[in-house]
Amino acid sequence: MDFMGGTMTMQHAQLPVDFQFNPFDYEFHADPKAVYRHLRDRSPLNYNEQLNLYALSRYDDVAEALSNDSVYSFCHSDTYEVLHPEHIQDLVGFFCSDAPRHNKQRQLSGRPFTPHKTQAAASRVARLGEYYLDSALDKARRNNCCVDFMNDIAGPISMAVIADFIGFPSEQRESIRHWIDLTVARDNGSAIVQPAALAASEQLLAYLYAFWAERERGVDQPETITDHMIRVVASGRLSKQHGISFLWALCFAGQEATAKMFGNAIYQASRHNLDYLLHKSPQLLDDFLLEVMRFDSPAQIIYRTALEDDYRHGALIKKGARVALMLGSAGVDERAFGIDAGEFKMGRTFTHDILTFGWGTHYCLGRHLGEMEVRVCVQQFFERVRTFRLDLDKATRVHTSTVHGFTSLPLQVIEFA
């Protein structure tokens, strides 16, 4: 078996026929593809009795469920666990509704995320990327040492970008990133939200309310997403809870998903010895990042609630149960992407859409921003670095029920540009 960061993976393990999928299992986080293959081939509708959780792992099932709000509802949340039942409307009020209501809410809040507006912000993203990359790499060059790609580069860049768009002051960025990291962490195999995670989420929520109130006072500052949302709320078209929940979701998507995508890209470049090629041939970056999104997406699972009984694969999904839609498994399903779907292959011809950013009504609003940010910053990295080495013995994985990627990824530059 393989090891990484002290965690045994299930690369060659044989899972039992009665295997019950647990999204909080650390071994699954280390090697999800072995679990995905077992589920797709042997248990395409898997049920965990203890969690009352069904898992759909084949591409067609996941895509259909994503586009079927009438059966698979977003009304609870896109995570399995609930952080604060008493604050549930604050935390999920905007996103956790179904069509047609959700469509109207998206139209009101999504205007800052159009492809045109996102592309216009590329220079802002580039400046932030340059600052953190140059700071980290200059330190590595001077001291002939490793950098932690996640904590020195990917995490700070992702937080700086989303903070800039939301309008958070620079002195608060590290606190917000720390609260997010604590909020998403889970113990091995357990869906229980620990006190540290609850406390961190309380701190973040309190900060969002205070920040909203400060922006409402109309201080003369550059236009932000928050200002747009405040105007929408003032018009009576959305509630303040919807506005706060929107900022809450942006914090997590902009920090967690984007940073992990950045880290997964660097990991795949190292794993397949593509560092010098991507440095020498930046025109290959688009193909490379598209394949990273398919093969090693940071968004692995989202959750829905069954509004009615549904029969699939000869079994029953019971009304009221939670259903895990396994985006990561769909991305490597041979039924959709061919017999070599389990391989990383640049230049692949796609006959199916990648589900990394969801599908249907709840398609990710921030897709264009996330893609642009990762594209800009990965290119900046390879403009500065010809070859590098990762210390995977010291790397650590994130442990959540939704996101796949690294919390720490030590990197040593072998050759600077």
Side-chain angles (χ1 to χ4, degrees):
M1 294 190 182
D2 296 336
F3 290 83
M4 188 183 69
T7 301
M8 181 175 66
T9 75
M10 294 179 279
Q11 183 74 25
H12 306 293
Q14 291 297 317
L15 299 175
V17 175
D18 59 352
F19 171 76
Q20 295 186 8
F21 171 67
N22 184 335
F24 302 96
D25 186 345
Y26 282 15
E27 287 193 13
F28 163 69
H29 299 163
D31 185 25
K33 289 182 178 58
V35 175
Y36 290 155
R37 177 177 287 279
H38 173 89
L39 294 177
R40 290 194 308 272
D41 292 347
R42 300 186 180 185
S43 185
L45 176 60
N46 186 270
Y47 181 60
N48 184 312
E49 184 175 5
Q50 182 179 359
L51 297 176
N52 190 25
L53 176 68
Y54 295 89
L56 292 173
S57 51
R58 291 184 181 176
Y59 182 96
D60 287 346
D61 290 324
V62 173
E64 182 183 344
L66 285 172
S67 60
N68 188 356
D69 281 9
S70 62
V71 177
Y72 295 98
S73 172
F74 204 2
C75 62
H76 180 89
S77 79
D78 63 348
T79 61
Y80 174 85
E81 62 274 39
V82 176
L83 282 170
H84 297 284
E86 66 275 18
H87 293 320
I88 189 67
Q89 290 304 314
D90 296 355
L91 302 182
V92 302
F94 172 79
F95 285 98
C96 295
S97 59
D98 298 319
R101 178 188 175 200
H102 184 76
N103 298 10
K104 187 176 298 185
Q105 294 171 342
R106 287 172 67 90
Q107 289 173 359
L108 291 171
S109 59
R111 290 168 189 164
F113 294 98
T114 64
H116 175 73
K117 289 186 177 180
T118 296
Q119 196 55 45
S123 60
R124 291 161 59 190
V125 172
R127 286 195 298 272
L128 292 167
E130 287 173 353
Y131 173 79
Y132 286 102
L133 275 165
D134 288 343
S135 296
L137 295 177
D138 285 350
K139 179 181 177 181
R141 193 197 307 261
R142 290 195 309 270
N143 300 327
N144 192 28
C145 64
C146 287
V147 297
D148 186 328
F149 187 81
M150 299 309 299
N151 289 299
D152 296 332
I153 298 174
I157 290 175
S158 298
M159 187 71 254
V161 170
I162 197 60
D164 186 56
F165 274 73
I166 293 175
F168 295 142
S170 58
E171 62 268 20
Q172 287 294 332
R173 291 173 185 171
E174 281 306 303
S175 293
I176 294 168
R177 189 156 72 98
H178 179 64
W179 293 332
I180 291 171
D181 289 343
L182 288 176
T183 296
V184 300
R186 298 291 178 266
D187 288 345
N188 191 4
S190 174
I192 297 173
V193 182
Q194 296 299 324
L198 290 173
S201 61
E202 286 279 13
Q203 289 175 295
L204 176 58
L205 187 60
Y207 175 75
L208 291 178
Y209 271 99
F211 170 71
W212 183 282
E214 181 179 344
R215 298 296 298 202
E216 276 185 315
R217 289 196 282 269
V219 180
D220 185 20
Q221 300 180 76
E223 174 72 9
T224 67
I225 290 171
T226 305
D227 300 310
H228 169 74
M229 293 302 296
I230 287 172
R231 288 194 298 271
V232 172
V233 169
S235 73
R237 291 174 290 174
L238 286 178
S239 71
K240 184 175 179 178
Q241 286 180 333
H242 285 137
I244 295 294
S245 71
F246 186 55
L247 298 188
W248 172 274
L250 288 180
C251 288
F252 284 88
Q255 168 61 30
E256 275 297 289
T258 308
K260 300 308 184 282
M261 177 66 180
F262 200 179
N264 291 355
I266 296 303
Y267 171 66
Q268 293 301 331
S270 173
R271 184 181 179 193
H272 298 285
N273 299 312
L274 297 172
D275 45 358
Y276 184 69
L277 176 65
L278 294 173
H279 163 76
K280 183 177 67 173
S281 305
Q283 71 273 15
L284 298 177
L285 278 175
D286 288 336
D287 277 346
F288 168 71
L289 292 174
L290 186 64
E291 183 67 347
V292 172
M293 282 193 291
R294 180 197 71 85
F295 183 80
D296 199 8
S297 166
Q300 291 288 298
I301 306 172
I302 55 177
Y303 297 82
R304 296 293 187 264
T305 300
L307 295 182
E308 58 185 61
D309 289 350
D310 188 28
Y311 286 90
R312 288 177 182 266
H313 303 289
L316 173 67
I317 297 176
K318 294 181 181 179
K319 178 180 178 180
R322 300 289 282 147
V323 184
L325 306 182
M326 308 182 82
L327 307 177
S329 177
V332 291
D333 188 353
E334 297 87 349
R335 298 158 188 82
F337 296 102
I339 58 174
D340 61 352
E343 303 172 12
F344 189 92
K345 178 182 175 183
M346 290 173 57
R348 180 182 297 276
T349 299
F350 288 88
T351 58
H352 289 68
D353 290 310
I354 297 173
L355 302 180
T356 297
F357 295 96
W359 188 258
T361 300
H362 299 282
Y363 195 80
C364 177
L365 273 177
R367 171 177 184 165
H368 301 295
L369 175 60
E371 286 184 324
M372 180 270 286
E373 179 184 338
V374 172
R375 174 64 169 78
V376 166
C377 294
V378 169
Q379 180 171 346
Q380 289 176 329
F381 175 82
F382 284 111
E383 287 172 350
R384 290 158 172 76
V385 173
R386 287 193 180 95
T387 57
F388 65 91
R389 180 185 300 119
L390 298 178
D391 187 349
L392 294 179
D393 289 335
K394 296 180 180 177
T396 56
R397 288 282 187 182
V398 65
H399 295 302
T400 81
S401 65
T402 56
V403 174
H404 178 67
F406 295 91
T407 56
S408 177
L409 192 58
L411 179 149
Q412 181 179 13
V413 177
I414 304 301
E415 185 179 9
F416 286 95

